[in-house]
Amino acid sequence: MIKNLIKKSLKKIFLLSFVRDIYEKFFVRKHPLQKIKLVKDYNIIHLGTEYGGWSFVDEDNLKDSIIISAGLGEDASFDIEFASKYNAKVIIIDPTPRAIRHFERIVDSFGDLPEISYSKGGKQPIGAYDLSKIGKDNLILIKKALWDKNQFLKFYSPPNPNHVSHSITNYQNKYKENTSYIEVEAITIENLLKEINIEKNDIPLIKLDIEGSAMEVLIDFINKDFKPRQILVEIDELNMPCKKNFDRVTRINELLVQNNYELIKMNGRADFLYYRN
């Protein structure tokens, strides 16, 4: 009798979990931030592919600048086009093995003109990049993960093995701790700036595409008084809607607004542009 009760209870729990997952995936409403219609008087431009590109405010202070781009994957279109347009130095930070291999192939092709067009999706052929104006001083890779602590930690694999992006928080696997992972070295923004010998006020723009870790990293930014004028951030939690993720999104937005950032553009999904006057 006890065994039957346990079996029935387990079946009920499994059914409720399954129904909740389906509901959250297909029927949960959008976060309020995704519904806002923004009309802002800024000179906003877009660089890169539809998948890996980003929108930002075109300003004179970006010429010959140094920016930080956290999260590379296998689409470096934004980083390359930005470096080329502004003769900028882009500090890329990503410890993912596939991203590192992609970067190494880019380095081998410095100086080359594009041979083909960009492909759809998040994996770009090296021959699609215009590297004719790009050299070793324009793109620098730090093989670490941006985080709020300096430590070695678990970097959880995505549920789909065809995807490249790993996650510190494991939001992709609903924050479970028993999924596959690799170990990587993480670094704070303070130590990153020391490592590359750059002052925090010399960074006008940072891009964060770090798979569910934006909240922790942004809190660390504020605590360290690192406040670049532009923050381009993918709030990945919006791609997997549920109450916990929506609460994190709300906290991220409140944190930035409280520190004089204004949301001036979003793509209706998860890419946000915050600007600090």
Side-chain angles (χ1 to χ4, degrees), residues 27-44:
F27 298 103
V28 170
R29 61 181 175 81
K30 284 189 173 183
H31 189 280
L33 286 176
Q34 293 175 292
K35 299 179 181 180
I36 297 175
K37 292 184 178 179
L38 299 169
V39 181
K40 303 294 180 182
D41 187 20
Y42 293 95
N43 183 24
I44 296 175

Side-chain angles (χ1 to χ4, degrees), residues 42 50 69 74 95 105 107 113-114 116 134 148 159 164 169 181-182 189 192-193 222 234 247 249 255 261 277:
Y42 293 95
E50 181 179 354
S69 178
E74 294 174 314
R105 294 182 63 205
V107 171
L113 287 166
I116 54 177
I134 302 298
D148 62 354
V164 62
T169 63
Y181 63 87
I182 59 176
I189 188 63
L192 174 63
L193 293 173
I222 301 304
E234 181 177 19
D247 287 345
V249 173
L255 173 70
Y261 282 97
N277 289 299

Side-chain angles (χ1 to χ4, degrees), residues 13-171:
I13 291 171
F14 175 79
L15 180 60
L16 289 173
S17 177
F18 176 76
V19 171
R20 186 192 66 234
D21 290 347
I22 295 297
Y23 174 76
E24 289 180 346
K25 185 173 183 178
F26 295 104
F27 298 103
V28 170
R29 61 181 175 81
K30 284 189 173 183
H31 189 280
L33 286 176
Q34 293 175 292
K35 299 179 181 180
I36 297 175
K37 292 184 178 179
L38 299 169
V39 181
K40 303 294 180 182
D41 187 20
Y42 293 95
N43 183 24
I44 296 175
I45 65 173
H46 182 93
L47 292 180
T49 64
E50 181 179 354
Y51 179 92
W54 288 84
S55 297
F56 60 97
V57 180
D58 182 22
E59 297 184 303
D60 287 340
N61 67 342
L62 298 178
K63 296 176 182 177
D64 302 311
S65 66
I66 302 171
I67 70 165
I68 295 173
S69 178
L72 173 67
E74 294 174 314
D75 186 335
S77 57
F78 170 77
D79 308 294
I80 290 169
E81 290 187 20
F82 189 97
S84 182
K85 178 177 175 62
Y86 296 106
N87 188 35
K89 177 180 290 187
V90 181
I91 309 297
I92 300 169
I93 178 165
D94 195 323
T96 312
R98 280 170 55 181
I100 293 171
R101 289 195 294 271
H102 191 72
F103 182 84
E104 290 171 346
R105 294 182 63 205
I106 290 172
V107 171
D108 289 340
S109 299
F110 279 168
D112 291 353
L113 287 166
E115 301 174 344
I116 54 177
S117 301
Y118 286 134
S119 64
K120 292 183 179 180
K123 187 173 183 178
Q124 292 303 323
I126 303 302
Y129 297 129
D130 184 354
L131 296 165
S132 58
K133 298 179 181 179
I134 302 298
K136 62 179 182 180
D137 293 331
N138 296 113
L139 299 180
I140 297 173
L141 176 65
I142 306 294
K143 301 174 185 178
K144 299 178 183 180
L146 192 61
W147 187 231
D148 62 354
K149 298 179 183 67
N150 300 298
Q151 62 182 131
F152 284 88
L153 44 68
K154 295 178 181 179
F155 208 36
Y156 291 97
S157 306
N160 185 338
N162 291 322
H163 294 168
V164 62
S165 299
H166 287 54
S167 169
I168 294 174
T169 63
N170 205 19
Y171 89 100

Side-chain angles (χ1 to χ4, degrees), residues 172-233:
Q172 300 173 99
N173 292 293
K174 299 191 176 180
Y175 304 98
K176 296 176 182 177
E177 297 182 358
N178 60 347
T179 61
S180 63
Y181 63 87
I182 59 176
E183 286 195 354
V184 300
E185 184 177 358
I187 189 171
T188 64
I189 188 63
E190 184 178 44
N191 277 48
L192 174 63
L193 293 173
K194 288 180 180 177
E195 186 171 308
I196 58 180
N197 195 28
I198 296 172
E199 297 294 326
K200 59 186 176 183
N201 293 329
D202 292 337
I203 307 293
L205 180 151
I206 188 167
K207 183 210 82 180
L208 298 175
D209 186 358
I210 49 179
E211 306 305 317
S213 302
M215 185 172 76
E216 289 80 5
V217 168
L218 287 169
I219 289 173
D220 189 52
F221 283 5
I222 301 304
N223 289 339
K224 302 292 174 53
D225 196 33
F226 175 67
K227 300 175 182 178
R229 184 186 293 271
Q230 300 191 57
I231 295 178
L232 287 50
V233 55

Side-chain angles (χ1 to χ4, degrees), residues 31 34 235-241 245-246 249 269-270 272:
H31 189 280
Q34 293 175 292
I235 306 181
D236 300 275
E237 288 89 340
L238 291 171
N239 295 319
M240 301 188 70
N245 283 349
F246 276 13
V249 173
R269 297 185 299 276
F272 291 75

